[in-house]
Amino acid sequence: MAGSRPGGDRPAREQLSALRSLLVLAMLLTQQDNQASILHFVANAVESLGSGTTEGVFLDDRWQDVRLPARQARSLKVPDFAPSADGGLFPLADVPWSWAYSLSSPHGPSGFLVVGAAIPPDDSERFLLQVLAQQAGVALANARLHAREREQATEVQAANLALQRSMAIHDRLTKVALGGEGQQGIARAVYELTDRPVALEDRYGNLQAWAGPGRPEPYLKDPPDQRDRLLDRAMAAAGPVREGERLVSVALLGGTPVGMLVLRDPDGTAGDTERVAIEHATTVLAMEAARLQSLAQADTRMRISLVLDLVGGKGTDGDGDGVLNRAQALGYDLGRPHRVVVVDGDVADENMDAFFHAVSRAARDVRVGSLLAPRLHDVIVLADTEAPWERLCARIVAESHGERCRIGVGGRCRELDEFPHSCREAELALRIQQTARGSEHVTVFDDLGVYKVLATAKDTSAMERFVNEWLGSLIDYDSVHGTQLVLTLSEYLECGGNYDASALALSVHRSTLKYRLRRIRQVSGYDIGLPDVQFNLQVATRAWRTLQALRLS
């Protein structure tokens, strides 16, 4: 009994040596950190445990390269069966006996070690091979676990670095926003964070800021159709989109594009860091647009309030210094001579805001002045230059897409208390224009001649008597018959008795004009060919127009 041993045919000393070798191998396997090394040791250890040889290792659904020295790799096919957890026969050509030992473990990969021999090994050798396979499975499981831990540590480290980078980007751009560095500050920060040239554009593609080398001169805009398509694509995207050599992101305010950030990336190497910088910068750009819009709206409200107070007489009620201080806060000098200009666009109430902005753009282009205010049916402009008024009118028509435009220009005012008077003169000029011709043109109060004298009369009773004396019969006739004899007479006299010009001004045929003139002679009893009669009738018709304008005012 003392000489008995497992297997019955191997000396105890050989078994002890094999177990010792297996123990050393197990310790060695635990020190390996990759699958290839483990498989290499296991494959080479098989022959040291008995008469068997390693035929192959099937792992992760494929045969592994186990780097057996002085052995030609066997060409093996993927098995069409799976041995049991305890192993099983594995038929191989030219191998009398072959067995698959399971390498599986609870947390490791599935597979098996295939061992071949000329004759079936005894029980003790098979026991050692099974222990070897089990140790290999445990070592493989540990190696996989350590590999996952290293991968997770690497991922955590990368995530931490990305988070730190994102926080650095956020902090840098937050400082730009809080520091009021504006669009140029945003562009400069993105360039410093990405080391790539950056452009900030408005929604139409106009360059607002640039940072970095290679600024193109001139800066070319996309064609309108291409720009619209790019805006639509960028607005629909969840992040920056690529457009050729550019990464673009659109800043939105209330769903409306207010700007675009363009990062130059010709080599296409921009990664997550650059995209994070673009996204943060686009948010700051939207905030900057909101800030500028708020400032612009506040500035506009202050200017409107100032204009309405001036023409409403607030500069003469003892608060002149306050008005001057408000103008100074806006960077405006009210000490210069001004004229009050009233612009009547004959637009619907719902279009008044658009008309006001059209007048603002036209006034800026013609350099008339920068203080404007909308009222219920017109727009007031405080003109600080003797502008080309007809050009201003034409520009307003163009900016308002063909809307009708009439302009009345008041007299010059050098003191604050003269603004209301100049405003009334501009309004009166418009009214006289309306009663005189009604066409789209400019009327300057200082150029009204006799109208100016008549309109400034404090007592209009004498003027009314004069009109009634010379035109009373014609006025009564028009009232009864619904005709326009007084207007026809006025246009005929204003045109110097020219039939063609008078007919054109009245928009009637020449024969109709002659018929009306005959009727005027019959009703009034005047010979309108006499110079003295013509003079008095022309003064009377101009007084009639002036009275109408004063009533409209």
Side-chain angles (χ1 to χ4, degrees):
M1 295 297 293
S4 64
R5 58 188 182 277
D9 57 353
R10 296 190 66 187
R13 182 174 296 176
E14 292 181 10
Q15 288 187 347
L16 184 59
S17 176
L19 288 172
R20 185 181 296 112
S21 298
L22 193 58
L23 178 59
V24 172
L25 179 62
M27 296 174 62
L28 185 62
L29 291 178
T30 59
Q31 298 174 3
Q32 307 305 309
D33 61 354
N34 66 82
Q35 176 176 294
S37 297
I38 294 172
L39 295 180
H40 173 71
F41 281 112
V42 171
N44 285 276
V46 170
E47 295 184 5
S48 67
L49 299 178
S51 60
T53 59
T54 300
E55 299 296 336
V57 176
F58 190 80
L59 195 66
D60 295 331
D61 296 326
R62 65 186 181 89
W63 293 103
Q64 302 292 324
D65 180 14
V66 294
R67 298 176 292 164
L68 292 172
R71 289 280 301 276
Q72 184 176 1
R74 177 186 290 272
S75 178
L76 298 174
K77 295 182 179 179
V78 176
D80 55 2
F81 72 96
S84 66
D86 297 329
L89 287 173
F90 192 91
L92 290 175
D94 302 328
V95 179
W97 178 89
S98 57
W99 193 272
Y101 290 94
S102 175
L103 296 174
S104 301
S105 65
H107 302 290
S110 61
F112 43 85
L113 168 68
V114 179
V115 177
I119 60 174
D122 58 28
D123 291 344
S124 63
E125 185 176 340
R126 295 179 68 171
F127 170 74
L128 293 175
L129 290 173
Q130 185 174 355
V131 172
L132 174 63
Q134 291 175 349
Q135 291 296 324
V138 173
L140 288 172
N142 289 334
R144 291 284 177 98
L145 179 60
H146 293 158
R148 283 197 296 270
E149 288 176 348
R150 289 193 298 270
E151 290 175 358
Q152 290 173 355
T154 301
E155 292 174 357
V156 170
Q157 183 180 14
N160 287 335
L161 290 175
L163 179 60
Q164 292 173 8
R165 185 62 173 163
S166 178
M167 292 177 63
I169 291 171
H170 182 270
D171 290 345
R172 178 70 177 89
L173 290 169
T174 299
K175 289 180 180 178
V176 171
L178 296 178
E181 298 181 32
Q183 295 186 0
Q184 187 59 48
I186 298 173
R188 184 169 53 252
V190 176
Y191 169 64
E192 293 171 356
L193 291 167
T194 63
D195 198 28
R196 286 172 171 80
V198 179
L200 296 185
E201 303 172 350
D202 64 13
R203 64 164 298 171
Y204 305 105
N206 300 302
L207 182 65
Q208 303 298 304
W210 176 279
R215 172 173 174 168
E217 293 292 349
Y219 190 85
L220 299 179
K221 296 165 53 177
D222 295 328
D225 292 344
Q226 180 180 343
R227 183 72 177 184
D228 291 340
R229 290 193 297 270
L230 178 58
L231 280 173
D232 291 340
R233 191 158 61 92
M235 291 170 63
V241 298
R242 180 165 291 278
E243 177 74 6
E245 297 183 348
R246 304 175 295 170
L247 277 176
V248 301
S249 179
V250 63
L252 300 174
L253 196 59
T256 301
V258 293
M260 180 176 287
L261 188 148
V262 181
L263 185 78
R264 299 287 175 174
D265 183 38
D267 53 2
T269 58
D272 292 340
T273 297
E274 288 75 16
R275 290 181 174 273
V276 169
I278 292 173
E279 291 174 0
H280 278 300
T282 303
T283 301
V284 176
L285 179 58
M287 294 169 57
E288 175 66 12
R291 185 184 72 85
L292 293 176
Q293 189 176 93
S294 177
L295 289 176
Q297 291 173 348
D299 182 80
T300 300
R301 288 193 296 268
M302 292 174 65
R303 290 175 179 272
I304 290 174
S305 175
L306 178 62
V307 171
L308 295 179
D309 285 349
L310 281 170
V311 300
K314 291 293 183 66
T316 62
D317 61 358
D319 191 29
D321 291 340
V323 172
L324 289 173
N325 289 335
R326 288 163 58 191
Q328 185 175 351
L330 293 170
Y332 196 86
D333 180 16
L334 278 178
R336 295 171 294 179
H338 287 77
R339 290 182 184 271
V340 177
V341 179
V342 178
V343 183
D344 183 2
D346 193 21
V347 297
D349 292 346
E350 60 270 19
N351 298 329
M352 196 61 206
D353 186 63
F355 182 68
F356 168 66
H357 289 292
V359 175
S360 299
R361 292 191 296 271
R364 182 183 63 245
D365 293 344
V366 184
R367 298 184 178 180
V368 172
S370 58
L371 285 183
L372 302 89
R375 296 195 298 187
L376 190 59
H377 299 297
D378 55 31
V379 176
I380 295 177
V381 182
L382 300 189
D384 56 4
T385 60
E386 293 297 325
W389 307 116
E390 293 289 350
R391 181 184 167 196
L392 173 63
C393 184
R395 191 61 193 163
I396 293 173
V397 172
E399 288 288 345
S400 58
H401 306 291
E403 292 285 357
R404 298 182 61 186
C405 174
R406 293 186 296 272
I407 293 179
V409 183
R412 186 187 298 270
C413 45
R414 295 176 175 82
E415 302 293 337
L416 294 181
D417 58 1
E418 295 177 348
F419 279 95
H421 185 67
S422 179
C423 183
R424 287 193 293 272
E425 291 175 344
E427 292 170 342
L428 185 58
L430 269 181
R431 301 297 180 266
I432 291 176
Q433 175 194 129
Q434 183 178 354
T435 58
R437 299 183 184 275
S439 59
E440 301 172 1
H441 68 291
V442 176
T443 303
V444 180
F445 186 80
D446 289 346
D447 299 338
L448 286 177
V450 68
Y451 286 109
K452 179 179 176 180
V453 175
L454 295 172
T456 54
K458 294 182 179 181
D459 185 4
T460 61
S461 58
M463 184 166 35
E464 291 175 352
R465 289 193 298 272
F466 183 78
V467 168
N468 188 62
E469 177 183 349
W470 283 90
L471 302 177
S473 57
L474 295 176
I475 293 173
D476 293 341
Y477 187 89
D478 284 343
S479 177
V480 173
H481 297 88
T483 54
Q484 294 182 321
L485 297 185
V486 178
L487 178 62
T488 299
L489 177 61
S490 177
E491 290 295 345
Y492 174 74
L493 294 174
E494 293 295 334
C495 293
N498 185 290
Y499 284 109
D500 293 332
S502 302
L504 181 63
L506 292 166
S507 299
V508 299
H509 194 270
R510 182 186 174 99
S511 60
T512 302
L513 173 64
K514 290 183 176 180
Y515 168 78
R516 289 184 181 180
L517 291 176
R518 286 197 301 270
R519 177 61 64 185
I520 288 171
R521 293 186 181 95
Q522 294 171 359
V523 173
S524 66
Y526 295 127
D527 182 357
I528 60 177
L530 296 176
D532 287 345
V533 173
Q534 280 189 0
F535 174 78
N536 284 292
L537 286 175
Q538 188 164 22
V539 172
T541 54
R542 290 188 175 182
W544 170 75
R545 291 180 185 273
T546 303
L547 289 172
Q548 284 189 313
L550 291 174
R551 294 189 186 104
L552 288 173
S553 300

